[in-house]
Amino acid sequence: LLECGADPRLHAEDGARPEQIASQDEVRDLLANWDLAATETALSNLSLEKEKRDKMRSELRAVETKRLTDDVAAAEQDHNRWQKELKQAYQEMEKRIYEHDQLIAEGKTDMKDVTLQMIHDAEDHLEMVKLNAQQAQEAMQKARLTVRERNQEGNAENLVGMKVSLRELDDVLVRDVGDKIKNSGRWPLLIDETKQVSTFLKYRDTNFLNSMRAHDMEPNSIRQALLGALRFGKPIVVDMLDADMWDAVERRFDEVQPGLLSAVMDKTILQEKIYQKLIRKEDGAAYEKNNFMTARVHDFQFILITRLRYPPDQLVERTYPIRVIMT
C-alpha cells in the first residue's frame, strides 16, 4: 500500500495515526521510518494519472456531446421545415375552401365539382404534411431527450405544465380555484393533449382566433377581438393548433400596433391609456371611452392553446402552462 501511494500521515476521526494502531512492531517501524518523499512521488504520479483519465473522459464526453448536439440541430431543422410546410398546407386548404364558398355564393355552380376536388386534394396534402410534421417532431423530441439523459437530467420526460383533465378545466381555468393563475401574474397556456380544448372554449363566451385562419389573423380582426374582450370582460383565445405559431402570432398582433402582444403579455393592455389606442371611430357608440368599465376590463383574460407536446421555451417562460390530458 505504501509503495502505491498510501499516506502514513493520514489519521482517523479520533486522531489516531496508522503507526499508533499497528498491531506488530515491524509494521510500526516501517510506518515510522517510511520515506515520505516516496509517498509524495507516488501521490504525484497518481494525480497525473487521474488528470490524464479525466482529460480523456472530458474529450470523449465533448465528442459525444457535439454529436448529440448536432443530432438535435439536424432534427430541429427538419422539424422547422415541416412546420413551415404545415402552415402553408393549412393556408392552402383555407384558400381552397374560401374560393369554393365564393363561387357558390356567386351562383357559379358549374365549377363546384372542380373546387370540391381541389379542397379534397388540399385536405389529402394537409394530412400527409401533418404526418411528416408529427414524425419530425417526435424525432426532435427523441433527440432532445437523449441530450437530457446524457446530461443526467433523468430518463423520465420533463413535461412542463400542471396536469389537469378536460373535466377539471372549468375549475382550473375558468374559475381559477385557488387563484393559481392570478397569483402567477401570467396568462394561461393550454397544452392540449386531448384535441378537445378548442371545442371546450369555442362554446363558451370567448373571442376565438384560429392562428391558421388568414381572416382571424388580419389586423382588424385581432383588434376587434381584443377590444371586444376588454370591453365586455371576457377571454380572447388564440389557438395555435399543432404548429409552432408563436412568432407568427406576435408579428400579427404587432401589425395592429407595435408592441401590442408584449402589452397583452405583461398586462399593461389593461391600462386605460393603452387599450384606448385600439378604439376607432367606426367601432360605434358601444366602444366609446366612457363605456369601458374598470371591473369588466379586469375580467379580461388572454388564453393560448397549443397541441405541441413540447411548446417553445420562450412561450412557456412567459405563460402559466396547463397540460390538459386524457383520463
Side-chain angles (χ1 to χ4, degrees), residues 20-35:
Q20 293 173 326
I21 60 174
S23 58
Q24 299 178 11
D25 291 341
E26 59 181 344
V27 174
R28 280 196 297 272
D29 291 341
L30 177 63
L31 289 168
N33 298 308
W34 178 255
D35 183 4

Side-chain angles (χ1 to χ4, degrees), residues 66-212:
K66 185 180 185 304
R67 184 185 68 79
L68 294 175
T69 301
D70 289 345
D71 288 347
V72 170
E76 288 177 342
Q77 185 176 7
D78 194 46
H79 166 73
N80 292 336
R81 179 172 66 84
W82 281 110
Q83 287 295 315
K84 184 177 180 180
E85 291 277 348
L86 185 59
K87 294 173 191 177
Q88 293 174 347
Y90 269 115
Q91 291 167 356
E92 182 66 18
M93 188 178 71
E94 289 292 336
K95 178 183 176 183
R96 297 307 179 192
I97 293 172
Y98 176 78
E99 290 172 347
H100 173 76
D101 291 345
Q102 284 292 105
L103 287 173
I104 297 301
E106 294 170 3
K108 299 177 182 179
T109 56
D110 55 317
M111 294 292 292
K112 181 178 66 174
D113 292 341
V114 175
T115 54
L116 282 174
Q117 184 59 50
M118 293 175 72
I119 290 174
H120 293 322
D121 291 345
E123 288 174 340
D124 291 342
H125 178 66
L126 174 61
E127 289 304 313
M128 182 273 292
V129 174
K130 285 174 69 174
L131 177 61
N132 286 321
Q134 178 65 27
Q135 292 173 345
Q137 182 183 344
E138 289 173 356
M140 180 183 68
Q141 292 167 354
K142 184 177 179 180
R144 287 175 174 174
L145 179 60
T146 302
V147 171
R148 290 198 297 272
E149 290 175 342
R150 181 66 175 144
N151 292 333
Q152 299 180 348
E153 294 179 5
N155 53 14
E157 284 189 301
N158 296 317
L159 298 177
V160 299
M162 176 176 61
K163 294 181 180 179
V164 302
S165 67
L166 191 65
R167 186 177 302 174
E168 296 169 324
L169 199 55
D170 196 69
D171 283 341
V172 174
L173 177 67
V174 180
R175 295 187 178 88
D176 191 18
V177 175
D179 291 332
K180 298 290 186 180
I181 299 174
K182 179 182 177 181
N183 292 337
S184 76
R186 294 170 289 172
W187 298 121
L189 168 67
L190 303 181
I191 305 168
D192 183 16
E193 296 188 0
T194 68
K195 298 185 179 179
Q196 298 175 33
V197 172
S198 297
T199 303
F200 173 87
L201 289 172
K202 277 181 182 177
Y203 288 97
R204 292 184 171 270
D205 187 19
T206 65
N207 287 351
F208 197 96
L209 297 176
N210 181 334
S211 65
M212 293 292 187

Side-chain angles (χ1 to χ4, degrees), residues 236-295:
I236 178 173
V237 180
V238 179
D239 187 0
M240 297 181 288
L241 292 103
D242 45 9
D244 182 358
M245 294 294 293
W246 179 239
D247 290 339
V249 168
E250 184 168 20
R251 286 195 301 271
R252 290 298 188 180
F253 268 68
D254 287 357
E255 285 176 9
V256 179
Q257 183 176 295
L260 179 59
L261 189 61
S262 292
V264 173
M265 296 304 291
D266 64 19
K267 302 190 178 183
T268 56
I269 192 66
L270 302 179
Q271 297 175 15
E272 184 176 341
K273 64 180 181 180
I274 303 298
Y275 68 72
Q276 283 186 0
K277 295 178 182 178
L278 297 173
I279 302 173
R280 305 287 184 267
K281 289 182 179 180
E282 61 268 22
D283 293 330
Y287 289 92
E288 289 180 356
K289 180 172 63 175
N290 295 333
N291 287 326
F292 283 79
M293 300 172 60
T294 301

